[in-house]
Amino acid sequence: MAMNTQGRPTRMAENVATGGYGDTVSGSRGLEQAEPLIFERGGVENTGVDFPAPKGSKTRLGGLERTAPIGLPGLSEPETMRHYVRLSRKNYAIDLGLYPLGSCTMKHNPRLNEKVARMPGFADVHPLQPASTVQGAYEVMDVLAHWLLKLTGMPAVALSPKAGAHGEFCGMMAIRARLDADGETGRRRVLVPESAHGTNPATAVQCGFTVDEIPADAGGRVDMAALKAKLGDDVAGIMLTNPNTCGLFERDIREIADLIHGCGGYFYCDGANFNAIVGRVRPGDLGVDAMHINLHKTFSTPHGGGGPGAGPTVLSEALAPFAPLPLLMIDRDNPKGMAIMHMAEHESELDGKDLHPFGRMAAFHGQMGMFTRALTYMMSHGSDGLKQVADDAVLNANYILAGLKGVMTQAFEGHCMHEALFDDRFLKGTGVTTLDFAKAMIDEGYHPMTMYFPLVVHGAMLIEPTETESKGGLDRFIEVMESLALAAKAGETARFQAAPVHAPLKRLDETRAARQPVLRWTPAADAAE
Amino acid sequence: MRYLPHIDSDRKAMLEAIGVASIDDLFTDVPEAARLKGLVDLPLKQGELAVERAMSAMASKNISAGSVPFFVGAGAYRHHIPATVDHLIQRSEFLTAYTPYQPEISQGTLQTLFEFQTQVALLTGMDVANASMYDGSTACAEAVMMAARVTKRDKAVMAGTVHPHYVEASKTLAKYSDVEIAVTQPSVGGLDELIAAIDETTACVVVQTPDIFGQLHDLRAISEIAHAKGALVIAVFTETVSLGLVEAPGDMGADIAVGEGQSIGVGLNFGGPYVGLFACKNERNFIRQMPGRLAGETVDADGRRGYVLTLSTREQHIRREKATSNICTNAGLCSLAFTIHMTLLGEAGLRTLARLNHETACELADRLGSIEGVEVLNSSFFNEFTLRLPKPAAEVVDELARIGVLGGVPASRLYPGQFEDLLLVTATETNTESDMIVFEKALRGVL
């Protein structure tokens, strides 16, 4: 820190303590504005809204009126605007640059989707309005379901799951319900490849199953001999991602499905990577019994800094009767000659229909705001455009693979699907880790790829460019990655270990965050206690 | 296709660089029998204008809340959202960012999550809050499972007056676990039956206030009894605005508070996406047993304050089958909307908003209660109350809809075969006096 030799006022230590820079008086640097927490800015009397004055009439709160202060600060509208605009500028975003997070499918989010989702007929409609007033909302669900079923070649879809992991829960609950209905109470073991997303084993356990891991073979796919050895009459099913998390299509997938079905189990497919095959391959033709579809990946609804997502789950004939409530009921055969829809919200409304829902997954009936966005996206692309999505996603990933496999080490031989997987062999002896390499990408203006996942590869780097990147953009990315790889090999280790130096912050102390958790702001007086 | 940058000459050059003759050569791992020969049988691509027209046609078949006198609640509430909120959440840097796994370039999201967690903790009177859940119902279900882990007991008792969807979602999550959920008989009234159901084997007691009928509950007595028996108290709320006027769950002895945050910053959206709030006391091993993401404060290599996702050893990507929950996301953008709206309100604004809601509801209750044969059942309420009608509420709601009034939720829609004469009615700051006059007149007309 610079010495204050000229008697100028300095708040440098204070600036650093609240996240600012220590070498300017303001804590800001040019366009990078220092910004403390709202709790350090606003007071409980400040506000950015105007209301009519309450009348002060008698309350009917049963003596439960709040007396103690809450301590919530407010800010005027201009201050609020500035606070959050400043914070926004400390984020990387797909609208800013390539976001090659493998398995996350960071593609362009079309703004027409946002416009449609905000139409009052969708955004300002209550989930418990009478059916006669929401026929258009039901129509969106019906049309979305139609597109999802056509694209997957499956007979049924549950729309209510609120995210990918929630969709996994839906599919595995349907499998559990089906097994129980068939008296198969001994089937409690679920096979999960080592390369699976962590949600898979967590979900299986949540449905009362035990998890049995299957190793990958030398080519990055399911080890068929190991799989066969694990089969038995206690197997409930398999949870398999396809294309898998190594970015490879499971060539033996139909044989895997036959083996699982042959031993009496069900095939759950994690649909996180559906973007690679949409419009080209239908999971229904692969023997899948259940698969969730991340609308926030394949169908472009924005990731929003970590949600909200949506995970509609397609189901086979065997599992469809166990789909969760509520169920959209469509009467297409009525005197008016038009579809009249309503939502069956309770099991008691299903008498005589041979439907046995495993329960309700959440309040109301799913992420409507994601349905409108995803359907808008699908209609924009059409069946021809969606096939082109898969083609270009796979083309882009292979282009990166071809451009980088000479300087980085490809984890598994051959072409990839929508994402290219590298390991850290090319960094051996350089002192540079996968983490260092990722942080150096930040200095070059890129968001890093997925690191250290899948677990089956040492120091994994999983790169998924998606179809919405241009050739010119990919060429620049390849050039940068190549030059970073060469720099690492040339011994520029210190540069990698210090990275990032051109980001809003340098590396953060994650150990300290976990060992001495500070999970909320507390007033200075309290904090000192 | 407007979202795809390549032109054919790009594709050709790229295929050459890869060393294949055609795109099909990159799909040879797909079993021959599963390769689609032609296009999927769906419409072809369309321009923005055509798609917008088609979607707009569907939107126009719905009656939007803002176009009619509107009094529907029961877990989702219509409030005014300042224009600033929607503008800010559409900033590309918030809208199109992923989960903040690289903290050096995600401080925007991380700091707002830290602010969100603090706001939720303050509102609920709790020590900590997580970075949000899918919605209130799933937050409730996760709270039940957490209580079982903390107490190492497996019996949960839920009040029958907790939103039935929340009860059902909790039962679904617990279905194949060791946790058993008992539910007391629902009624517009007190908590005696619930208190009687607590014993030495109870992991948690779950009570909603304001409850599904709008009735408010003092949680102090039940908390005292539950704690004496070693059980945790989970307080549920579906209307966050109520916390601006009513005592906080944490101040009444609750150990965990969960609820729906949609009222602040998030529109009705026909049921989702919403934002689940999850807060708890910092006791025993509570924090290590919490589900969901947590943002925490730390410093960078230069000692500057910053934020990271932390305590991830609870989570599925590290712990896999031993995780506290399979949850992978939060309700990111909705939690941001909540935080921005709450910042605009501040304590002063929230208190005024809450009071306006309550006063409007009081006025509406007086109007509707004055109709012959109509009775307000609540002895207390915030902005939602229950009416007993002289005819089935489901019929009344349909008849009101036909004349352009969305008059509430029949209780039988949530409790099939029960409470057929009960109507749940909500009033918020968005209801004008003329809305109320129209509603009263319409209700008189259909009864």
Side-chain angles (χ1 to χ4, degrees):
Chain A
M1 197 172 291
M3 285 274 288
N4 180 3
T5 54
Q6 294 168 20
R8 289 172 303 176
T10 174
R11 306 173 38 192
M12 287 168 181
E14 195 185 318
N15 291 340
V16 167
T18 55
Y21 287 103
D23 59 357
T24 57
V25 176
S26 64
S28 301
R29 273 185 190 167
L31 290 178
E32 283 186 66
Q33 299 284 327
E35 189 59 23
L37 294 161
I38 46 170
F39 310 96
E40 296 156 339
R41 276 217 177 281
V44 295
E45 286 170 28
N46 299 78
T47 187
V49 292
D50 288 314
F51 288 119
K55 293 170 186 151
S57 48
K58 217 169 83 193
T59 65
R60 293 194 209 174
L61 299 169
L64 291 170
E65 187 160 346
R66 186 167 197 153
T67 46
I70 309 173
L72 280 172
L75 292 172
S76 66
E77 182 175 312
E79 292 169 296
T80 301
M81 185 65 83
R82 201 170 274 170
H83 176 73
Y84 289 102
V85 168
R86 286 176 172 186
L87 288 183
S88 76
R89 293 166 55 95
K90 299 176 195 288
N91 265 5
Y92 196 87
I94 184 68
D95 286 350
L96 199 62
L98 181 64
Y99 213 130
L101 271 178
S103 203
C104 301
T105 313
M106 295 300 286
K107 62 169 71 180
H108 170 65
N109 304 139
R111 290 313 191 275
L112 175 63
N113 305 358
E114 298 302 310
K115 185 177 181 187
V116 167
R118 285 169 173 77
M119 289 175 176
F122 296 135
D124 193 23
V125 176
H126 191 286
L128 296 178
Q129 285 183 208
S132 63
T133 68
V134 292
Q135 290 295 302
Y138 293 153
E139 188 178 342
V140 168
M141 298 171 95
D142 182 36
V143 177
L144 176 76
H146 176 76
W147 279 74
L148 294 175
L149 295 179
K150 284 282 182 186
L151 290 167
T152 55
M154 299 286 282
V157 60
L159 292 178
S160 63
K162 288 180 168 285
H166 212 218
E168 290 177 30
F169 184 49
C170 175
M172 294 308 286
M173 286 294 279
I175 290 172
R176 174 75 195 244
R178 171 78 210 203
L179 290 171
D180 286 3
D182 291 346
E184 293 273 11
T185 52
R187 292 187 181 275
R188 292 293 176 263
R189 192 159 52 95
V190 172
L191 308 179
V192 181
E194 286 173 343
S195 61
H197 296 110
T199 49
N200 291 178
T203 300
V205 167
Q206 205 164 276
C207 299
F209 295 118
T210 58
V211 174
D212 196 0
E213 289 208 334
I214 323 169
D217 67 12
R221 295 181 174 85
V222 170
D223 183 327
M224 291 300 283
L227 171 67
K228 284 175 191 162
K230 299 255 187 201
L231 297 174
D233 58 10
D234 63 335
V235 168
I238 189 170
M239 296 183 83
L240 181 66
T241 308
N242 186 53
N244 70 22
T245 60
C246 300
L248 304 173
F249 197 94
E250 293 283 355
R251 286 185 202 121
D252 300 320
I253 189 160
R254 283 164 57 100
E255 193 190 345
I256 293 170
D258 289 345
L259 286 169
I260 291 293
H261 292 150
C263 86
Y266 293 91
F267 179 5
Y268 187 87
C269 183
D270 182 324
N273 295 335
F274 189 49
N275 200 52
I277 57 172
V278 62
R280 267 196 165 261
V281 181
R282 299 183 307 173
D285 296 333
L286 302 172
V288 166
D289 290 295
M291 183 182 91
H292 73 264
I293 300 159
N294 306 79
L295 296 186
H296 49 286
K297 294 181 180 177
T298 310
F299 299 111
S300 85
T301 72
H303 281 79
T313 303
V314 289
L315 299 169
S316 63
E317 294 287 359
L319 300 183
F322 302 93
L325 290 165
L327 298 169
L328 184 63
M329 303 308 227
I330 306 171
D331 172 11
R332 297 189 201 274
D333 183 27
N334 61 73
K336 285 185 181 165
M338 56 190 276
I340 295 179
M341 293 178 259
H342 79 280
M343 200 63 81
E345 292 167 344
H346 304 278
E347 208 162 346
S348 56
E349 296 168 57
L350 305 174
D351 284 351
K353 289 202 166 68
D354 199 26
L355 297 171
H356 316 282
F358 67 73
R360 168 184 280 280
M361 301 197 67
F364 311 125
H365 31 241
Q367 305 283 67
M368 184 65 176
M370 304 295 119
F371 301 163
T372 47
R373 287 173 174 88
L375 182 57
T376 301
Y377 176 86
M378 290 176 181
M379 289 169 64
S380 296
H381 278 278
S383 61
D384 49 343
L386 288 171
K387 177 176 178 290
Q388 193 69 56
V389 163
D391 285 359
D392 285 358
V394 171
L395 179 71
N396 284 0
N398 277 284
Y399 189 64
I400 285 176
L401 183 60
L404 292 178
K405 67 182 176 189
V407 283
M408 294 170 66
T409 36
Q410 184 180 359
F412 300 106
E413 282 304 301
H415 298 304
C416 62
M417 297 298 287
H418 63 300
E419 53 195 359
L421 178 62
F422 299 92
D423 58 28
D424 62 1
R425 280 174 296 160
F426 75 100
L427 295 174
K428 200 171 173 196
T430 63
V432 176
T433 64
T434 291
L435 179 73
D436 298 330
F437 197 84
K439 299 301 184 190
M441 289 168 69
I442 292 176
D443 280 337
E444 296 289 343
Y446 288 107
H447 193 284
M449 67 269 134
T450 293
M451 319 175 288
Y452 301 108
F453 181 85
L455 307 176
V456 294
V457 167
H458 198 271
M461 304 182 197
L462 186 63
I463 301 178
E464 179 181 6
T466 84
E467 72 283 0
T468 56
E469 294 302 323
S470 69
K471 179 174 177 296
L474 295 175
D475 286 334
R476 275 189 296 281
F477 177 70
I478 289 167
E479 193 185 331
V480 167
M481 293 291 277
E482 184 178 15
S483 116
L484 285 177
L486 294 174
K489 289 174 191 178
E492 294 178 30
T493 314
R495 166 183 161 198
F496 286 87
Q497 289 173 342
V501 295
H502 300 310
L505 286 180
K506 291 190 178 163
R507 278 194 218 185
L508 288 116
D509 187 345
E510 304 205 20
T511 309
R512 169 179 159 146
R515 291 227 176 113
Q516 306 156 32
V518 178
L519 305 175
R520 60 172 284 188
W521 174 85
T522 17
D526 291 6
E529 274 171 20
Chain B
M1 206 292 139
R2 59 191 177 278
Y3 306 140
L4 301 175
H6 297 331
I7 55 176
D8 283 343
S9 60
D10 293 328
R11 293 187 179 104
K12 191 162 169 285
M14 292 168 77
L15 288 169
E16 269 170 31
I18 295 164
V20 292
S22 81
I23 188 73
D24 290 339
D25 294 344
L26 296 176
F27 286 87
T28 52
D29 286 334
V30 179
E32 178 70 38
R35 291 181 206 160
L36 283 178
K37 300 296 175 277
L39 295 175
V40 176
D41 178 24
L42 286 166
L44 299 180
K45 63 174 170 274
Q46 296 187 79
E48 253 202 32
L49 177 62
V51 176
E52 188 176 335
R53 220 173 246 157
M55 292 304 292
S56 181
M58 285 189 261
S60 69
K61 292 179 191 169
N62 298 325
I63 305 294
S64 65
S67 64
V68 289
F70 179 86
F71 301 92
V72 187
Y77 303 90
R78 183 163 195 271
H79 293 285
H80 173 73
I81 303 171
T84 304
V85 175
D86 196 44
H87 176 85
L88 282 169
I89 68 167
Q90 288 200 72
R91 287 278 303 190
S92 289
E93 300 89 332
F94 287 132
L95 184 74
T96 76
Y98 195 69
T99 300
Y101 287 137
Q102 297 287 347
E104 299 88 350
I105 47 173
S106 308
Q107 287 300 305
T109 295
L110 286 160
Q111 183 169 331
T112 59
L113 289 179
F114 190 80
E115 293 181 349
F116 171 83
Q117 289 172 188
T118 306
Q119 286 174 329
V120 173
L122 287 168
L123 265 174
T124 53
M126 291 289 170
D127 297 318
V128 290
N130 75 10
S132 78
M133 314 290 286
Y134 302 140
D135 74 342
S137 69
T138 51
C140 177
E142 291 283 350
V144 170
M145 302 307 283
M146 172 177 154
R149 288 192 298 272
V150 167
T151 59
K152 299 195 168 63
R153 296 180 181 181
D154 52 17
K155 290 204 177 83
V157 190
M158 298 185 81
T161 50
V162 172
H163 195 301
H165 289 181
Y166 287 40
V167 173
E168 290 164 35
S170 302
K171 284 184 169 175
T172 300
L173 186 59
K175 193 165 184 176
Y176 298 119
S177 73
D178 296 330
V179 179
E180 278 173 49
I181 297 177
V183 185
T184 60
Q185 280 300 316
S187 69
V188 188
L191 301 174
D192 295 347
E193 199 197 339
L194 189 65
I195 290 174
I198 306 169
D199 64 27
E200 272 74 20
T201 65
T202 307
C204 63
V205 54
V206 187
V207 53
Q208 181 176 321
T209 180
D211 70 18
I212 189 66
F213 298 107
Q215 184 80 11
L216 292 161
H217 298 286
D218 188 340
L219 305 182
R220 273 170 277 245
I222 196 167
S223 296
E224 205 167 296
I225 291 160
H227 292 155
K229 297 195 172 164
L232 302 187
V233 175
I234 298 173
V236 178
F237 53 93
T238 59
E239 171 55 292
T240 302
V241 174
S242 69
L243 296 172
L245 190 59
V246 177
E247 290 234 55
D251 296 338
M252 295 193 285
D255 301 284
I256 303 174
V258 288
E260 179 51 68
Q262 169 270 330
S263 282
I264 305 292
V266 183
L268 291 170
N269 292 324
F270 196 55
Y274 289 170
V275 49
L277 311 184
F278 192 114
C280 67
K281 295 277 171 66
N282 182 12
E283 284 168 14
R284 291 187 263 177
N285 54 345
F286 278 22
I287 291 177
R288 304 269 164 189
Q289 290 299 341
M290 274 176 100
R293 287 184 183 146
L294 287 165
E297 184 184 308
T298 186
V299 292
D300 81 348
D302 288 343
R304 296 169 59 211
R305 185 176 70 182
Y307 304 89
V308 292
L309 289 180
T310 192
L311 298 177
S312 55
T313 46
R314 302 162 299 115
E315 292 184 76
Q316 48 74 29
H317 63 281
I318 308 287
R319 289 280 278 170
R320 299 177 78 82
E321 69 268 25
K322 295 189 185 68
T324 56
S325 150
N326 80 333
I327 285 186
C328 182
T329 49
N330 59 344
L333 204 67
C334 297
S335 67
L336 176 66
F338 178 102
T339 291
I340 296 168
H341 191 179
M342 195 57 88
T343 300
L344 284 164
L345 288 166
E347 180 155 343
L350 179 67
R351 283 178 183 271
T352 307
L353 173 64
R355 194 162 287 279
L356 287 170
N357 271 260
H358 184 56
E359 287 184 351
T360 311
C362 287
E363 194 181 329
L364 184 66
D366 286 344
R367 282 184 179 278
L368 302 181
S370 73
I371 300 172
E372 201 185 324
V374 174
E375 186 190 352
V376 177
L377 298 186
N378 300 59
S379 58
S380 64
F381 61 85
F382 171 64
N383 68 354
E384 186 164 26
F385 53 84
T386 301
L387 295 180
R388 173 170 284 135
L389 303 178
K391 63 193 263 194
E395 285 174 28
V396 170
V397 164
D398 284 342
E399 286 174 41
L400 287 170
R402 269 198 285 279
I403 53 176
V405 174
L406 295 177
V409 179
S412 61
R413 182 157 178 188
L414 299 167
Y415 296 97
Q418 297 181 72
F419 306 123
E420 289 183 352
D421 56 348
L422 301 191
L423 179 66
L424 313 179
V425 177
T426 299
T428 74
E429 81 285 359
T430 63
N431 293 116
T432 61
E433 185 165 11
S434 113
D435 285 347
M436 291 193 269
I437 292 168
V438 171
F439 186 14
E440 183 193 338
K441 203 172 153 198
L443 188 58
R444 283 183 195 278
V446 301
L447 290 178

